[in-house]
Amino acid sequence: MNEQELQHDEHHCHQHGHGDKAPKDGRYDSVPEGYAGAVYTCPMHPQVRQTHPGSCPICGMGLELESAAMLDEGPNPELIDFTRRFWVGTVLTIPLLVLTMGPLLGFSGIREFLGERATLWIELVLGTPVVLWCGWPFLVRGWNSFRTMNLNMFSLIGMGVIAAWLFSVVAVIAPDIFPDGFRDAEGHVGVYFEAAAVIVTLVLLGQVMELRAREGTGKAIRALLDLAAKTARVIRDDGSEEEIPLEHVHVGDRLRVRPGEKVPVDGQVVDGRSSVDESMITGEPVPIEKVAGDPVTGATINGTGSLVIEAKRVGSDTMLSQIVEMVAAAQRSRAPIQKYADKVAGWFVPVVIGVAVLAFIAWAIWGPEPTLAYALVAAVAVLIIACPCALGLATPMSIMTATGRGAQAGVLIKNAEALERFEKIDTLIVDKTGTLTEGKPKLVAVLPQPGMDEEEVLRVAASLERGSEHPLAEAIVNGAEERGIALVEATEFEAVTGKGVQGKVDGQAVALGNKAMIEDLGLTAGDLVERANQRRDEGETVMFVAIEGVIAGLVSVADPVKETTPDALNALHALGLRIIMATGDNERTAKAVAARLGIDEIRADVLPEDKARIIRELQNGGARVAMAGDGVNDAPALAQADVGIAMGTGADVAIESAGITLVKGNLDGIVRARRLAQATMRNIRQNLFFALIYNAAGVPVAAGVLYPVMGMLISPMFAAFAMSASSISVVLNSLRLRTARL
């Protein structure tokens, strides 16, 4: 950011009431209603939103683009500007250090050759551009912090640097005005151009490293954007094919995906057969076989076969675009633990200023000669070493890095709060169908009553189920079609939630469902109950079929357990979670599956509306509950849970209600999410420890508490180095999350 931009931002803040005090509602939103252009916001203070780049009026941090879609592939302008200022500062500071520190290292020839007065003027010429040009962004932000009374790290940096520089300028131009308390044994007034210059240069170094790290987290988003194909091969109505830009693809277009090409948009296969590598979206390395009717996701890579797909979702509606926006929003969100850092920072800066004043007074009264010079050094050192930039970086850096890492592993974090809460979860509720199992049940048996025809029982059951979208219904219909049974249209179809379906087939009243459904019809199952239970003990789902008020037989369906489920459950147990299976299946079937998988507890015969009630009961008992679901009817339960986990293959409303979304609907994703949450919160606590312990130890030492015992006083230069080192340690520690094992 250049000087003109900073001045523009300062003027802009004044125009919107930021120049005197914060708005009463706490918001700094200068974005006009309905504005569709680029919006910039602060990662630490999302209430700050404006239409141009600038710095946050609360914390001074550079603002970032709110929309991931508007990310520029070029370098960050602020990073370029700060890097240029850093190198200019370095070039001017090195000779300044040689002049001032040379005599201490035995190199006094240059100073003696130039003479004392000429050397001081050269120091002023070298040091002033570093302070006033290289450090200008910090001075402006520091000034704004006092104008708005939002004291922050730049308040301390600005005070320390300006105090050292102004004192030194006056000492060079008018040395005679200083009293004896500022003079050494030879009568000279000390100058601190090198201290001010080194402070600015080291703070610039810390800012450049922070901006590079933040740009690195942004690369996770840009890498996701780069996954998308740039063009698509559209098939025209006359059969001709044409390569067109991706943005020209419309819903309903037929597209050809040749071997090795990226799938351009979300769609459905209408012709062809191939295996598709979905690892960049799901994190799963095994290619998935795709045939006509199967969905495909944009940015995945086609294998050796050729596919023709119909575009279903394009542009910002594609899964990849939604993933990018979700990751970007999560990186800007704030974890609840951040409020502790905010509280500390809120009173920390005034306290530090108070300590600096007290240190100045104490050294001025009791310090050695020249007392006032020592007092100034101590006060400036306190202001610089206590800079809370490490405290401000502790949480946002971890969150930005973690959400990018999660996206690479197929775990999408909606916001930082979900990540923090998930670390504390002790109970996980999962559905059976589609979560523990494949979600693609198969018909395994038709058991007619004596006098009833097996094929007829299946025909009426399948004809009735053609009106249902339930996976079990699909299994029955597919089973009938595989046997070559001709189906007919059912009339007066009605789905009875949690019980089954009923309607008319060939004019006959037909019902298909569980025992509760049969009892509602006033029928008695008799011996069939025992036959059904035997099947349920094997983990099968058994439904009664009634025709014209008479039970005609049983239909049995089995849903195979996913290969990944047993290992994932073992891992979740090892991570400290109690697993509860909530399913609409009857208790016997549920127990059979739970026993085979080692699930801790089951809740069977659960209606969709019961799931939210079960979660409330567990929460009232002190449990911290996560719920994994994928259907529209799971949305209330996902919202009720402390953390909702949506399977990315599920309904949009379920995803909207959840804090965490798994692109691949496997329990493996929950394992990865749990590990990510634990690693992130551990990382944040480490960062806060580094920042707080460093400040707790650094401020007293800078104030001079060790001087009476050890004769040790920290110089402002060393304080600046220590302050930058603390920020760098927080940044480097946060970046370790990039390689966290999930």
Side-chain angles (χ1 to χ4, degrees):
M1 184 186 304
N2 57 37
E3 183 175 334
Q4 288 79 8
E5 285 174 326
L6 284 163
Q7 290 172 338
H8 172 70
D9 187 52
E10 181 179 340
H11 174 67
H12 178 83
C13 289
H14 182 73
Q15 280 184 319
H16 289 84
H18 307 166
D20 301 314
K21 59 182 180 178
K24 291 182 180 179
D25 62 359
R27 291 193 62 82
Y28 290 86
D29 195 338
S30 62
V31 179
E33 188 174 347
Y35 180 75
V39 175
Y40 294 83
T41 186
C42 175
M44 291 178 61
H45 301 93
Q47 68 269 36
V48 176
R49 298 170 75 250
Q50 62 188 43
T51 59
H52 56 85
S55 58
C56 175
I58 300 176
C59 67
M61 180 181 285
L63 303 182
E64 295 182 344
L65 275 169
E66 188 173 55
S67 173
M70 293 189 175
L71 275 176
D72 186 1
E73 292 188 9
N76 183 345
E78 187 178 27
L79 175 58
I80 293 174
D81 181 49
F82 275 32
T83 301
R84 181 170 58 244
R85 292 176 192 270
F86 166 72
W87 284 115
V88 171
T90 300
V91 168
L92 294 175
T93 300
I94 289 174
L96 187 58
L97 281 173
V98 171
L99 281 175
T100 55
M101 307 300 289
L104 300 177
L105 301 173
F107 306 109
S108 56
I110 299 177
R111 201 173 187 93
E112 291 174 358
F113 174 78
L114 293 171
E116 189 63 30
R117 289 296 298 168
T119 302
L120 291 177
W121 279 99
I122 291 173
E123 288 182 29
L124 186 151
V125 170
L126 291 173
T128 297
V130 178
V131 172
L132 296 187
W133 185 78
C134 298
W136 181 251
F138 307 145
L139 301 181
V140 171
R141 295 177 188 186
W143 170 245
N144 285 337
S145 73
F146 283 104
R147 284 197 320 162
T148 62
M149 289 313 295
N150 290 307
L151 302 183
N152 53 49
M153 59 177 278
F154 297 105
S155 313
L156 302 181
I157 292 172
M159 285 182 66
V161 169
I162 284 296
W165 178 77
L166 281 176
F167 177 88
S168 302
V169 170
V170 176
V172 172
I173 296 175
D176 296 336
I177 70 172
F178 287 93
D180 292 340
F182 283 104
R183 300 179 184 276
D184 59 20
E186 298 177 359
H188 296 144
V189 179
V191 295
Y192 305 99
F193 289 115
E194 85 286 354
V198 169
I199 289 167
V200 167
T201 304
L202 287 174
V203 173
L204 278 168
L205 175 62
Q207 288 288 297
V208 166
M209 291 197 67
E210 177 196 334
L211 287 168
R212 284 191 184 281
R214 283 165 61 188
E215 188 176 48
T217 61
K219 283 180 181 176
I221 297 179
R222 280 194 288 272
L224 286 172
L225 286 169
D226 289 341
L227 289 176
K230 303 298 184 285
T231 61
R233 178 171 289 272
V234 65
I235 303 174
R236 302 299 186 189
D237 292 340
D238 61 3
S240 63
E241 298 182 8
E242 180 185 355
E243 195 92 6
I244 62 172
L246 190 65
E247 54 269 24
H248 293 169
V249 176
H250 299 96
V251 173
D253 283 350
R254 291 169 69 243
L255 309 171
R256 183 176 299 282
V257 187
R258 295 178 296 190
E261 289 185 338
K262 288 182 178 179
V263 176
V265 296
D266 295 359
Q268 187 176 44
V269 178
V270 294
D271 188 29
R273 184 186 193 93
S274 183
S275 57
V276 176
D277 180 358
E278 298 183 337
S279 59
M280 66 287 299
I281 296 290
T282 66
E284 300 287 342
V286 180
I288 308 298
E289 191 74 16
K290 300 290 184 180
V291 296
D294 287 342
V296 288
T297 305
T300 55
I301 300 175
N302 186 23
T304 56
S306 179
L307 296 174
V308 176
I309 68 169
E310 180 183 339
K312 295 293 186 183
R313 293 194 291 185
V314 301
S316 60
D317 292 332
T318 64
M319 180 182 289
L320 179 64
S321 296
Q322 291 173 357
I323 288 173
V324 168
E325 289 300 332
M326 189 179 288
V327 172
Q331 289 190 342
R332 295 192 308 270
S333 65
R334 306 172 69 207
I337 197 172
Q338 175 69 30
K339 67 185 178 186
Y340 300 112
D342 290 347
K343 285 182 180 178
V344 171
W347 56 258
F348 185 76
V349 175
V351 167
V352 167
I353 293 173
V355 170
V357 172
L358 291 175
F360 184 91
I361 294 171
W363 279 92
I365 297 174
W366 296 296
E369 295 295 336
T371 55
L372 295 178
Y374 272 109
L376 179 65
V377 169
V380 171
V382 167
L383 290 175
I384 298 303
I385 203 168
C387 174
C389 46
L391 193 63
L393 287 172
T395 299
M397 278 303 305
S398 294
I399 294 299
M400 285 193 289
T401 308
T403 48
R405 175 70 183 95
Q408 293 172 344
V411 178
L412 306 181
I413 310 300
K414 188 173 187 179
N415 52 50
E417 183 177 2
L419 203 58
E420 180 173 340
R421 283 185 173 188
F422 196 47
E423 185 222 17
K424 300 173 183 175
I425 292 297
D426 53 36
T427 304
L428 173 66
I429 297 179
V430 296
D431 193 12
K432 179 175 78 73
T433 304
T435 304
L436 300 175
T437 63
E438 294 284 356
K440 295 180 179 178
K442 295 182 179 179
L443 179 69
V444 293
V446 179
L447 307 173
Q449 282 285 68
M452 300 297 295
D453 179 64
E454 177 180 333
E455 188 171 301
E456 177 62 13
V457 171
L458 179 56
R459 187 185 73 85
V460 296
S463 296
L464 179 63
E465 286 284 34
R466 281 214 299 188
S468 173
E469 296 180 355
H470 196 281
L472 297 179
E474 186 178 352
I476 294 171
V477 173
N478 289 341
E481 290 176 346
E482 287 170 4
R483 298 187 188 192
I485 297 174
L487 305 183
V488 297
E489 287 294 325
T491 58
E492 300 180 23
F493 176 85
E494 179 187 359
V496 183
T497 304
K499 296 179 181 179
V501 294
Q502 57 187 14
K504 288 191 174 183
V505 177
D506 292 334
Q508 300 180 98
V510 179
L512 184 143
N514 56 21
K515 186 180 177 184
M517 180 81 165
I518 295 300
E519 290 174 348
D520 283 352
L521 296 173
L523 304 177
T524 303
D527 295 341
L528 273 182
V529 174
E530 184 59 33
R531 294 181 68 187
N533 288 340
Q534 290 173 357
R535 291 265 174 189
R536 287 169 182 149
D537 288 341
E538 298 298 321
E540 297 175 14
T541 299
V542 184
M543 291 158 281
F544 295 89
V545 181
I547 303 174
E548 286 293 322
V550 176
I551 298 178
L554 302 174
V555 175
S556 182
V557 174
D559 188 3
V561 171
K562 292 179 181 177
E563 290 183 10
T564 58
T565 295
D567 288 342
L569 288 173
N570 290 336
L572 290 170
H573 279 128
L575 290 168
L577 292 175
R578 175 172 62 134
I579 313 295
I580 298 177
M581 183 176 75
T583 176
D585 284 349
N586 65 82
E587 191 168 354
R588 295 183 77 108
T589 302
K591 279 184 176 178
V593 174
R596 198 158 69 240
L597 296 176
I599 289 172
D600 302 299
E601 189 179 328
I602 63 164
R603 300 294 178 93
D605 295 310
V606 172
L607 298 176
E609 58 267 26
D610 291 335
K611 292 180 180 178
R613 174 184 55 77
I614 291 169
I615 292 171
R616 280 195 299 272
E617 290 174 358
L618 291 167
Q619 289 170 330
N620 292 337
R624 292 172 174 154
V625 185
M627 161 78 187
D630 60 358
V632 173
N633 53 24
D634 288 327
L638 292 171
Q640 175 65 40
D642 295 284
V643 177
I645 304 170
M647 302 306 182
T649 51
D652 289 344
V653 67
I655 294 173
E656 195 65 31
S657 304
I660 296 174
T661 299
L662 308 179
V663 178
K664 183 79 170 180
N666 282 349
L667 287 182
D668 283 349
I670 301 179
V671 175
R672 288 194 286 267
R674 175 72 163 191
R675 287 174 178 160
L676 179 65
Q678 291 179 333
T680 304
M681 297 313 300
R682 185 165 57 244
N683 192 270
I684 288 174
R685 293 187 188 103
Q686 290 166 352
N687 286 348
L688 291 174
F689 176 81
F690 291 153
L692 293 172
I693 290 298
Y694 151 81
N695 280 312
V699 171
V701 173
V705 295
L706 296 180
Y707 188 83
V709 180
M710 304 173 62
M712 176 181 169
L713 180 63
I714 291 179
S715 73
M717 282 190 298
F718 183 81
F721 174 78
M723 180 268 293
S724 296
S726 72
S727 298
I728 291 169
S729 67
V730 166
V731 169
L732 294 178
N733 188 53
S734 299
L735 293 180
R736 290 193 307 113
L737 287 171
R738 284 183 179 179
T739 56
R741 188 183 70 85
L742 303 181

